[in-house]
C-alpha cells in the first residue's frame, strides 16, 4: 500500500492562512479506498477512517468529514461542545509532501 503525507491546519473553520502547515495528515491508499490515519488528535477518532464525505459515531462522539473539491481539500470536524478539543482540521489533498523535512519551519 501507499501512504501520502498532506499539509493541514488544526483550526476553526475557515482556517487562517498563517496556520497552514501546523499539522500533517497521512492518507493510506488501499485497494478499497483511501483512509485517514490521524488517530489521537485531541478527542479525535481512535481508528483510521475512510476518506469519504459523511458523519459517524465512535465511542459516543460524532465526527464529520466534508469534501471541498473546489479547494482540493477535506474538512474533518471533531465533536462540538467538548471542552479543550481541537475543533477539527482542513487537509490539502491537491499535493503531497515528499518528506517531513518540508514541515521543519512549523515545528
Amino acid at each position: 500500500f501507499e501512504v501520502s503525507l498532506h499539509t493541514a491546519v488544526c483550526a476553526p473553520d475557515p482556517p487562517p492562512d498563517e496556520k497552514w502547515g501546523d499539522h500533517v495528515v497521512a492518507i493510506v491508499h488501499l485497494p478499497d479506498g483511501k483512509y485517514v490515519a490521524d488517530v489521537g488528535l485531541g478527542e479525535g477518532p481512535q481508528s483510521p477512517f475512510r476518506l469519504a464525505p459523511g458523519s459517524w459515531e465512535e465511542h459516543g462522539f460524532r465526527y464529520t468529514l466534508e469534501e471541498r473539491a473546489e479547494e482540493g481539500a477535506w474538512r474533518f470536524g471533531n465533536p462540538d461542545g467538548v471542552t479543550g478539543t481541537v475543533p477539527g482540521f482542513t487537509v490539502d489533498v491537491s499535493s503531497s509532501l515528499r518528506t517531513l523535512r518540508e514541515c521543519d519551519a512549523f515545528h
Side-chain angles (χ1 to χ4, degrees):
F1 61 90
E2 177 185 335
V3 176
S4 55
L5 301 174
H6 301 270
T7 56
V9 54
C10 292
D13 193 32
D17 288 340
E18 66 272 8
K19 295 272 292 176
W20 272 98
D22 73 356
H23 191 58
V24 174
V25 172
I27 297 180
V28 181
H29 304 251
L30 297 174
D32 68 333
K34 297 177 183 176
Y35 291 81
V36 176
D38 196 40
V39 300
L41 174 66
E43 286 74 25
Q46 296 178 3
S47 302
F49 53 92
R50 191 178 187 99
L51 187 63
S55 63
W56 69 98
E57 191 170 309
E58 185 178 313
H59 303 290
F61 295 103
R62 177 152 297 282
Y63 303 97
T64 60
L65 190 61
E66 173 189 346
E67 183 176 19
R68 300 198 171 158
E70 68 282 349
E71 301 170 26
W74 288 79
R75 176 69 189 177
F76 166 80
N78 260 332
D80 290 331
V82 177
T83 303
T85 190
V86 174
F89 63 78
T90 303
V91 57
D92 179 357
V93 295
S94 66
S95 64
S96 62
L97 301 169
R98 294 192 337 179
T99 73
L100 287 177
R101 287 263 171 240
E102 295 178 53
C103 298
D104 282 353
F106 300 102
H107 298 281

